[in-house]
Amino acid sequence: MKRIAMLFSMCLCISISAIAQTKVSGKVTSFEDGEPLPGVSVVIKGTTSGTVTDIDGAYTIEAPNPESTLIFSFIGMVTEEITVGNQSVIDVQLVPDITQLSEVVVVGYGTQKRKDITSSISTVDNELIANVPANSSFDGALQGRTAGLNIATSSATPGARASVNIRGVTSFGASSQPLYVVDGIPLVASNNSALSSNIQPLNPLADINPNDIETISVLKDASAAAIYGSRGANGVIIITTKRGKAGKTKFNIGYNTSISKVNNIPELMSSKQWIEFMNAAAEFDGLGPNYWNSTLGDPNDPNLPTYNAYDEILRTAIAHNVDLSAQGGDEKTKFFFSGNYFDQEGIQLGQNFERISGRLNLDHSASEKLGISSNLYVSRTNHQRTIGENDEYGVVVNAQAWDPTAPLFEEDGSYSNPFDYNGWWALENPVYIANEYKNESETTRLFATISGTYEIIENLNFKSSWSVDINSLIDEGFVPIGSQQASVGSGIYATYSESSWLNENTLTYDFTLNNDHRFNLLAGYTLQESRAKFSDVSGTGFSDNRVQTISTAANRTGSSSVTSFGFESVIGRINYNYRDKYLINLTYRSDGSSRFGKDNRIGNFPSVSLGWRLSNENFFTPLANVFSDFKLRASYGTIGNAEIGNFRSQNIYSFDDSYNGSGGASASQLGNPTVSWESTTQLNLGLDFSLFDGKISLTADYFEKETTDLLFDQDIPGTTGFRDIISNEGEINNKGFEFSINANILRRGDFTWSANANFTHIENEVVDVINNGQVLSRNFVLLEGKPISQLYLIKFQGVDPFTGDAVFEDFNGDGIINLDDRQAVGSGIPTYFGGFNNTFTYKGLSLDVFFQFSGGNKIFNQSRHAYQNYGSLQSGLPYGNQSIESLNYWRQPGDITNIPRPSLAGPSDPDAQWQRFSTQYLEDGDFMRLKNVKLSYSLPKSIIEKAKLSNVEIYVQGRNLITWTDYLGFDPEVSTNTDSDEALNTSQGEDFGTLGQARSYSIGINIGL
């Protein structure tokens, strides 16, 4: 009887328990696009009971009681907790966790989990890249988005080169631009165009389709970049392109179009204002009133026309971008294919950029041990440019100086000649330069890689890859017959071809000892060789502007050259992790380079970094409710800079016809067998922490970079037969701090609000230079104790209120104002920069608002020096039109103004008030810009599924919408000097006829099939 009673009781308990349990099912999808999420963990809180979602995002789980809480978690998504209650169906949408989107981070020669990283690395994914409107280059997607990375887009020219620095400028004469690695290939990123140095340089990054990019990693400290050794001193940007995924093939078609206009136009005088201004100048000089009326016209004539050259050279530009891709495969073979067409007009006549490209990435599992991958990318770009800034024949320069009383076209429709009218400074009709001068470059680029990975034993993998980077460039330039620059016409046809191959072989081994000690080991050997050929033919004396082939020129010359370089390297890395608490990274690379002297051809580049995850310590437990993660980092190491060109260490001979027309050889370069790479030693101290289950995360770093043995052309006595010799002299320091913060601020129902911000402060100092005080141009100087790109100007002290004359500081006290009175007045390189972004979503709507800022730098606005010349003459003619600010000139004793009285004193006259290169034209470069606003709408699944589509997104976007600045030029984010590495390092902060960035508006659609 007792046994029967006991059995009955047990059955009753089981029955009651079964009745109490609740079966819950549902589907987990992505909040962003509604796609199902397979592999989501669904766990009953406080237990180990759980399940995972299937390929359709579906799940079923038994909850013990209605009070049970289900925890939904997935990598890269915000964890959700939902109480069961009386629900039997619980559908969940997971929101991306902006603190974990880069859970797996691409590093040099591998990947690491974010939590294990001990170096300073920032990441940008394709979601952010997609938020940037169609552009010629992906560097626009990084601008203002990443701490420590400063990108200055110096011109509105489509496809023009940008200035990119990671944690400061580190060199005088070698490149300070980072190394770019695309799918493992170090990108040859130099400008090899043979066209005029005063044409905006080509941007090699524009050869790459931004829509192909999956992630971008920015390696900033020595520990992260040391794996690239002699090419890592300026930081490394690793670009990883999209790859195939197993599953149904997904097709995507995207199209957008945009219109662009100039953001800001400095206002110039009307004809009436200009004549009155010139008359005032003549009257101040004692020539009486209305002196210029008979020459320039009557300012009171109601029919007096004003001709504004800006109206003729600037336009509303249109751009089109079409992109299609296919992604899919199975467990054996996966593929990604894409095609792109991009066409962008410049906002200035004569400028255009066009690119067509295709990509095929394949991954194949040949067996359980052998995997094979390949990448193939081909692009062709056509780049039409015009003579730009810092050139007397520049389009904008001549538009600024154009005589407002002179038409740009004659009555018969032909171009007018400025010398038939009254202004002197305009040397050529700017519309004529833009339309008739030819500067066209066509580039064909191919990247290809094939690699195999073989698992020797469990977790021990050998990988070997072969890659090629083939670049072919054709330049064509023509200056028409009858032009002011070349009356008989001149032309050039040049070709540049470069082929680079790379072989990399690596062993990686992952293992764990006693469940506590995790190791990741890397060893490798790499070889790279590059060979380039250059040839050009040029001619003068053409007979017809319609026939521009060089063979038709009366006088022809030509040249050709061949150059090459090679690297041989050994790499190694050890990552050690003890109980997810204590982290160590040791990295080493030894490089041999043909670029350096035989005495210093091998360089060794070690680094070490440490990490301590305090959040995994027992003593941190009381803070666990606040801090989800807390990690301290420290790193130290040495990396190099080898970007100085080829054969700089060797004696060079040129072979030409300089011996009375006969062939011969002459010495053209004095070699230095001891020359070696620049060395950058960097200390980095950082911390990473996240709060409230990852809703807020912050990364902060302090760094000190010391670059020694700077590569520089040292002046030597002329008795040697040479002007200079390359040597390792000098030191530059960069130190500063940076931080970035990400936050999921709010989620209520279908509404979310997330934000991120970053800020960087850098102090640059030239510590040692062989020729202290060396003037690099009229406006820049190298000075110990000062930042690089130091402007060197006479200090303007205002206008004498009694005489109206400009007053300058007699810096050397000799009683004479001349170039000897120049002094350091500030650097053209920003000391701080950053950006902040807010993203709002509601159901299918998404709004992204991004601001960028920069400051602490100075700009010498040399354009004002040209169009605020206060009435001066050249050859008896007015110099050119004037800025509207010039009307605030001194008129009578007692006037307080910064604009001197007008005068007809010419440039060679010591009384000329405007001719001084002075701080009168020095301005602050600080700005804040509403960089990007994007509003998008994803159609509901209920609609698009009827059309058998996976997603449809429609969006409108604006870029460079508002700029807050006191700068008087087109744009504060400009620089005239971009045509060489040395100019990018030492001469930033000058603006002479540079057309700033455009304001653009775009509309687009993305369709997933």
Side-chain angles (χ1 to χ4, degrees):
M1 188 70 183
K2 289 183 179 180
R3 290 182 179 180
I4 296 174
M6 184 179 297
L7 181 62
F8 177 78
S9 299
M10 290 175 62
C11 291
L12 182 63
C13 290
I14 292 172
S15 300
I16 294 172
S17 175
I19 294 171
Q21 283 189 330
T22 303
K23 179 181 284 188
V24 179
S25 62
K27 188 174 183 179
V28 182
T29 57
S30 168
F31 180 84
E32 286 192 314
D33 54 19
E35 289 288 313
L37 293 176
V40 176
S41 172
V42 185
V43 177
I44 299 170
K45 190 173 184 179
T47 75
T48 58
S49 300
T51 185
V52 294
T53 57
D54 62 19
I55 194 170
D56 297 317
Y59 74 95
T60 300
I61 192 171
E62 297 281 352
N65 53 65
E67 286 74 33
S68 299
T69 297
L70 302 184
I71 301 175
F72 299 83
S73 61
F74 189 65
I75 291 176
M77 297 290 182
V78 175
T79 298
E80 288 289 332
E81 296 187 9
I82 298 177
T83 301
V84 173
N86 60 1
Q87 303 175 89
S88 60
V89 177
I90 299 178
D91 293 330
V92 178
Q93 284 190 320
L94 295 184
V95 177
D97 185 347
I98 59 175
T99 69
Q100 295 181 3
L101 281 175
S102 297
E103 182 71 13
V104 176
V105 177
V106 177
V107 298
Y109 298 93
T111 60
Q112 278 187 278
K113 291 183 178 180
R114 168 68 68 182
K115 64 185 181 65
D116 294 337
I117 288 176
T118 54
S119 54
S120 182
I121 301 176
S122 294
T123 56
V124 176
D125 73 344
N126 60 351
E127 296 287 339
L128 190 148
I129 297 169
N131 276 338
V132 177
N135 208 335
S136 59
S137 175
F138 67 83
D139 46 21
L142 301 177
Q143 194 170 30
R145 301 277 188 171
T146 303
L149 177 64
N150 185 34
I151 299 178
T153 305
S154 57
S155 170
T157 303
R161 179 182 186 180
S163 174
V164 183
N165 296 120
I166 297 175
R167 293 183 168 180
V169 174
T170 59
S171 184
F172 296 151
S175 174
S176 287
Q177 307 296 293
L179 172 68
Y180 296 91
V181 179
V182 182
D183 287 333
I185 305 175
L187 182 69
V188 177
S190 55
N191 168 48
N192 297 302
S193 175
L195 299 179
S196 168
S197 61
N198 290 328
I199 295 174
Q200 274 288 333
L202 298 175
N203 185 357
L205 304 181
D207 296 336
I208 300 171
N209 174 18
N211 296 310
D212 287 345
I213 296 174
E214 181 71 24
T215 62
I216 298 174
S217 295
V218 182
L219 315 186
K220 296 182 287 189
D221 68 345
S223 175
I227 200 70
Y228 293 101
S230 64
R231 290 182 283 185
N234 303 320
V236 182
I237 295 179
I238 300 178
I239 297 102
T240 304
T241 59
K242 297 174 182 176
R243 309 203 69 82
K245 297 179 180 179
K248 179 183 176 182
T249 299
K250 295 182 178 180
F251 296 91
N252 191 79
I253 301 172
Y255 172 76
N256 63 66
T257 185
S258 66
I259 59 171
S260 301
K261 292 184 176 183
V262 64
N263 219 341
N264 173 56
I265 301 178
E267 188 176 359
L268 301 177
M269 292 183 183
S270 66
S271 292
K272 173 181 172 62
Q273 292 168 327
W274 188 55
I275 296 170
E276 290 176 342
F277 182 81
M278 293 303 297
N279 282 336
E283 191 167 0
F284 276 121
D285 288 350
L287 299 177
N290 303 321
Y291 178 82
W292 288 99
N293 283 23
S294 60
T295 303
L296 304 180
D298 183 358
N300 297 314
D301 181 356
N303 298 315
L304 181 69
T306 293
Y307 299 96
N308 189 328
Y310 285 142
D311 294 339
E312 301 294 336
I313 68 164
L314 300 177
R315 63 184 174 186
T316 298
I318 299 175
H320 301 279
N321 186 66
V322 181
D323 194 77
L324 61 90
S325 65
Q327 186 179 48
D330 53 29
E331 295 302 326
K332 293 280 290 183
T333 304
K334 306 176 185 69
F335 68 88
F336 173 80
F337 166 80
S338 73
N340 172 260
Y341 176 74
F342 177 74
D343 183 31
Q344 181 183 16
E345 288 182 332
I347 58 174
Q348 180 203 289
L349 292 178
Q351 297 181 347
N352 194 81
F353 179 85
E354 183 182 35
R355 178 185 60 232
I356 184 169
S357 68
R359 175 179 295 278
L360 177 62
N361 291 348
L362 294 173
D363 298 289
H364 176 67
S365 296
S367 69
E368 291 184 358
K369 287 182 171 292
L370 178 63
I372 300 172
S373 296
S374 66
N375 307 321
L376 177 64
Y377 177 77
V378 181
S379 70
R380 173 166 288 188
T381 62
N382 184 277
H383 199 164
Q384 297 175 16
R385 296 171 288 166
T386 60
I387 300 178
E389 53 275 355
N390 206 26
D391 194 292
E392 58 189 6
Y393 288 98
V395 175
V396 174
V397 169
N398 280 272
Q400 290 172 335
W402 190 257
D403 171 2
T405 67
L408 286 107
F409 299 94
E410 302 293 359
E411 292 183 358
D412 62 2
S414 62
Y415 297 103
S416 62
N417 185 337
F419 290 101
D420 292 338
Y421 294 89
N422 303 304
W424 181 88
W425 173 232
L427 300 184
E428 188 77 273
N429 186 315
V431 185
Y432 179 70
I433 300 171
N435 286 338
E436 307 301 331
Y437 282 44
K438 179 181 180 180
N439 296 282
E440 186 171 341
S441 301
E442 184 178 87
T443 302
T444 302
R445 197 75 180 260
L446 181 146
F447 299 108
T449 299
I450 185 165
S451 65
T453 302
Y454 184 77
E455 187 178 43
I456 301 171
I457 59 174
E458 186 177 2
N459 295 326
L460 175 61
N461 294 289
F462 172 73
K463 179 179 180 181
S464 182
S465 66
W466 287 87
S467 305
V468 294
D469 176 3
I470 299 174
N471 184 9
S472 176
L473 170 66
I474 298 174
D475 288 321
E476 293 185 86
F478 187 76
V479 179
I481 303 165
S483 65
Q484 299 298 324
Q485 188 177 27
S487 60
V488 297
S490 68
I492 183 174
Y493 181 90
T495 63
Y496 176 88
S497 62
E498 182 170 11
S499 59
S500 175
W501 62 263
L502 172 70
N503 172 232
E504 296 188 320
N505 305 276
T506 59
L507 274 171
T508 58
Y509 187 36
D510 294 279
F511 63 95
T512 302
L513 299 177
N514 299 325
N515 295 321
D516 292 332
H517 308 274
R518 294 208 317 267
F519 291 87
N520 170 265
L521 309 181
L522 167 73
Y525 174 76
T526 77
L527 281 171
Q528 182 180 8
E529 183 180 52
S530 180
R531 182 177 177 84
K533 297 180 180 180
F534 172 82
S535 64
D536 74 281
V537 288
S538 58
T540 60
F542 288 81
S543 58
D544 193 316
N545 282 331
R546 294 171 297 179
V547 183
Q548 300 177 3
T549 53
I550 305 302
S551 61
T552 65
N555 307 295
R556 298 182 296 273
T557 60
S559 66
S560 63
S561 62
V562 178
T563 186
S564 64
F565 71 86
F567 281 92
E568 183 177 16
S569 308
V570 175
I571 61 174
R573 181 172 58 209
I574 300 173
N575 287 317
Y576 170 70
N577 181 326
Y578 178 69
R579 290 188 173 183
D580 279 339
K581 296 179 183 180
Y582 312 115
L583 312 168
I584 300 175
N585 174 288
L586 301 172
T587 304
Y588 172 81
R589 180 164 180 143
S590 178
D591 276 328
S593 173
S594 63
R595 287 176 168 168
F596 297 100
K598 60 182 181 180
D599 300 337
N600 286 300
R601 190 151 287 175
I602 305 296
N604 300 301
F605 305 97
S607 74
V608 60
S609 60
L610 307 173
W612 182 18
R613 296 189 69 200
L614 280 76
S615 51
N616 285 357
E617 296 283 5
N618 292 332
F619 64 76
F620 207 83
T621 303
L623 299 175
N625 291 331
V626 177
F627 290 94
S628 321
D629 189 56
F630 197 105
K631 179 172 62 179
L632 298 178
R633 294 178 284 106
S635 70
Y636 184 81
T638 300
I639 37 184
N641 186 354
E643 298 306 309
I644 61 166
N646 303 328
F647 305 123
R648 295 297 307 278
S649 65
Q650 300 181 25
N651 295 319
I652 300 294
Y653 293 85
S654 297
F655 293 81
D656 51 35
D657 60 355
S658 58
Y659 288 88
N660 287 327
S662 299
S666 59
S668 58
Q669 176 180 289
L670 183 62
N672 181 354
T674 65
V675 70
S676 183
W677 22 61
E678 299 176 345
S679 295
T680 296
T681 301
Q682 185 173 178
L683 168 70
N684 190 91
L685 303 175
L687 66 87
D688 308 311
F689 66 80
S690 58
L691 304 170
F692 313 120
D693 293 324
K695 289 183 173 57
I696 299 173
S697 67
L698 184 141
T699 295
D701 287 271
Y702 171 80
F703 61 89
E704 292 185 0
K705 293 174 67 175
E706 180 184 273
T707 305
T708 57
D709 298 328
L710 296 180
L711 293 159
F712 198 62
D713 290 326
Q714 178 183 345
D715 293 337
I716 57 177
T719 53
T720 63
F722 301 91
R723 292 190 307 173
D724 51 46
I725 184 173
I726 191 167
S727 62
N728 293 100
E729 301 286 348
E731 179 182 338
I732 291 180
N733 284 357
N734 290 275
K735 63 180 179 180
F737 62 87
E738 60 188 41
F739 75 83
S740 58
I741 186 170
N742 300 278
N744 288 309
I745 298 175
L746 181 65
R747 184 186 180 191
R748 289 186 178 174
D750 294 321
F751 177 78
T752 69
W753 173 19
S754 62
N756 59 73
N758 69 87
F759 177 84
T760 302
H761 171 75
I762 295 179
E763 296 178 9
N764 176 279
E765 180 185 359
V766 176
V767 178
D768 179 42
V769 59
I770 190 168
N771 296 319
N772 188 32
Q774 179 179 347
V775 179
L776 303 175
S777 69
R778 290 178 299 185
N779 308 325
F780 292 93
V781 66
L782 282 175
L783 280 175
E784 293 177 0
K786 297 289 186 180
I788 202 168
S789 280
Q790 185 66 215
L791 285 153
Y792 198 51
L793 303 170
I794 300 171
K795 188 166 288 187
F796 174 68
Q797 296 183 313
V799 175
D800 188 324
F802 299 103
T803 65
D805 291 340
V807 179
F808 301 97
E809 182 179 342
D810 183 9
F811 187 61
N812 64 359
D814 64 358
I816 302 172
I817 302 298
N818 55 28
L819 293 179
D820 293 336
D821 292 304
R822 289 174 295 179
Q823 56 184 294
V825 294
S827 172
I829 297 177
T831 59
Y832 67 87
F833 51 86
F836 53 96
N837 187 79
N838 283 275
T839 301
F840 308 91
T841 65
Y842 179 72
K843 295 186 176 180
L845 280 171
S846 178
L847 175 64
D848 189 85
V849 183
F850 174 60
F851 291 85
Q852 175 206 0
F853 60 86
S854 177
N857 59 305
K858 297 291 185 180
I859 302 175
F860 177 55
N861 191 344
Q862 193 172 337
S863 294
R864 283 179 55 212
H865 176 272
Y867 57 66
Q868 279 185 216
N869 46 51
Y870 311 133
S872 68
L873 301 180
Q874 178 79 21
S875 304
L877 292 173
Y879 215 67
N881 201 357
Q882 301 286 300
S883 163
I884 199 73
E885 285 84 13
S886 297
L887 294 176
N888 297 320
Y889 63 85
W890 182 94
R891 285 172 167 78
Q892 60 188 4
D895 282 353
I896 304 299
T897 178
N898 281 326
I899 307 296
R901 60 176 176 81
S903 173
L904 302 181
S908 59
D909 191 324
D911 293 329
Q913 301 300 309
W914 65 278
Q915 188 61 15
R916 313 297 186 194
F917 283 90
S918 75
T919 58
Q920 185 175 5
Y921 310 105
L922 187 69
E923 303 183 44
D924 290 333
D926 303 6
F927 71 89
M928 177 177 285
R929 198 190 309 273
L930 179 54
K931 188 69 177 179
N932 192 66
V933 176
K934 180 180 180 182
L935 177 64
S936 64
Y937 179 66
S938 295
L939 271 62
K941 286 289 182 183
S942 58
I943 296 176
I944 62 175
E945 285 178 350
K946 294 178 181 179
K948 297 184 178 180
L949 302 175
S950 61
N951 68 279
V952 176
E953 179 196 36
I954 303 169
Y955 62 88
V956 292
Q957 196 160 15
R959 189 159 177 85
N960 299 324
L961 296 178
I962 305 173
T963 302
W964 293 272
T965 183
D966 292 330
Y967 184 63
L968 298 177
F970 280 102
D971 187 29
E973 194 181 339
V974 297
S975 183
T976 289
N977 306 306
T978 60
D979 57 349
S980 70
D981 289 328
E982 183 174 338
L984 283 170
N985 294 336
T986 63
S987 303
Q988 292 298 290
E990 182 175 17
D991 180 4
F992 184 38
T994 307
L995 190 60
Q997 296 183 66
R999 179 188 293 121
S1000 66
Y1001 305 91
S1002 60
I1003 183 170
I1005 185 170
N1006 291 314
I1007 301 174
L1009 304 177

